[in-house]
Amino acid sequence: MDIGILHTHTLTVVLYVALFAVKALLILTGQRNLLTTFNGKTRILHIFLATALLGTGGYLLSRAPEGTSAYNIVKIVFLVLTMGVAFVAVKRFKASFAVLALSGFVYIFLLAKTRDIFLRNEETRLKATLQSFETVSPRPDVALARGKTIYEAACNRCHGADGRAGYRKAFDLQTSRLSDAAVLSTIAAGRKTMPAYSYLSKQELDDLLAYVKSLRK
Ligand code: HEC
């Protein structure tokens, strides 16, 4: 269900932005009459896409373990603002607003890709967070803390803090009884919708393994 909704969400976002891009192009090239005609003909489509986009987005937020993370809140606030700017651009035939709205949509798109307000990729972000651990000796509690940090940055969004969220068909990590080797290879190579974390070092993988196993009941 989550995955179908996610695809529908992505599709409606692409169509919605494409529709606005056509309107922005008409504004930027000064074709006011054409815009009025195009707007009239696509009104129902516009309402349908906006409703589908917000509806599917709302559903995904309610399902995602990190639905209320800072990144998601920035994304929603930005989206609502940008949709407002886009509305004004079309209503008032304003080129500056059209450019602003297009830039806003591009930012939100990159935000959704990276899940970071500064648009850093996951590896860069995670490695920056892990720097504080670098100098510490690998005591078991330190290893577990590092594993937890990695888990929260990379795994939480599907498996949830307790390992049971099951978002996007993620397996329950509390009942999982995979061997150490299989857990390590699942993390390093990914599986179905789970991405590969090939950038994690051997030490980081071992610490993550220890943390994942600590979630088991
Ligand atoms: C995009 C969502 C997503 C993210 C992020 C994610 N997983 Fe998964 N995970 C899944 C899915 C889906 C499966 C089940 C794959 C399948 O159907 O074979 C899974 C399966 C697993 C399994 C196998 C469990 C078993 O019993 O077979 C382990 C272990 C695991 N994930 C650990 C992690 C760890 C550790 C991270 C972070 C580094 C992580 N996952 C990040 C979605 C995710």
Side-chain angles (χ1 to χ4, degrees), residues 156-202:
N156 202 15
R157 68 185 177 101
C158 289
H159 289 284
D162 62 358
R164 307 199 58 196
Y167 183 56
R168 298 200 200 170
K169 295 199 180 152
F171 284 3
D172 184 338
L173 298 180
Q174 285 192 10
T175 56
S176 170
R177 291 294 177 265
L178 275 190
S179 67
D180 291 3
V183 171
L184 289 174
S185 70
T186 301
I187 298 170
R191 242 164 83 183
K192 301 210 179 149
T193 50
M194 177 169 156
Y197 295 89
S198 46
Y199 61 78
L200 293 175
S201 71
K202 174 83 182 67

Side-chain angles (χ1 to χ4, degrees), residues 83-215:
M83 283 171 107
V85 173
F87 179 80
V88 176
V90 174
K91 260 261 162 325
R92 302 257 161 89
F93 202 73
K94 272 202 181 300
S96 55
F97 276 58
V99 171
L100 198 63
L102 275 180
S103 320
F105 286 132
V106 169
Y107 175 72
I108 297 165
F109 177 80
L110 295 174
L111 194 62
K113 282 263 156 254
T114 56
R115 297 186 313 281
D116 181 60
I117 47 184
F118 304 113
L119 310 182
R120 292 167 302 180
N121 69 21
E122 188 176 78
E123 177 174 356
T124 312
R125 201 168 2 126
L126 184 55
K127 295 278 168 168
T129 316
L130 291 176
Q131 289 223 320
S132 58
F133 286 101
E134 238 43 295
T135 51
V136 197
S137 63
R139 296 197 321 258
D141 54 332
V142 174
L144 211 58
R146 175 156 45 195
K148 184 170 194 261
T149 303
I150 301 170
Y151 185 89
E152 284 171 351
C155 324
N156 202 15
R157 68 185 177 101
C158 289
H159 289 284
D162 62 358
R164 307 199 58 196
Y167 183 56
R168 298 200 200 170
K169 295 199 180 152
F171 284 3
D172 184 338
L173 298 180
Q174 285 192 10
T175 56
S176 170
R177 291 294 177 265
L178 275 190
S179 67
D180 291 3
V183 171
L184 289 174
S185 70
T186 301
I187 298 170
R191 242 164 83 183
K192 301 210 179 149
T193 50
M194 177 169 156
Y197 295 89
S198 46
Y199 61 78
L200 293 175
S201 71
K202 174 83 182 67
Q203 185 62 52
E204 289 162 356
L205 280 172
D206 284 344
D207 295 350
L208 183 57
L209 171 66
Y211 185 72
V212 166
K213 281 167 67 182
S214 78
L215 295 171

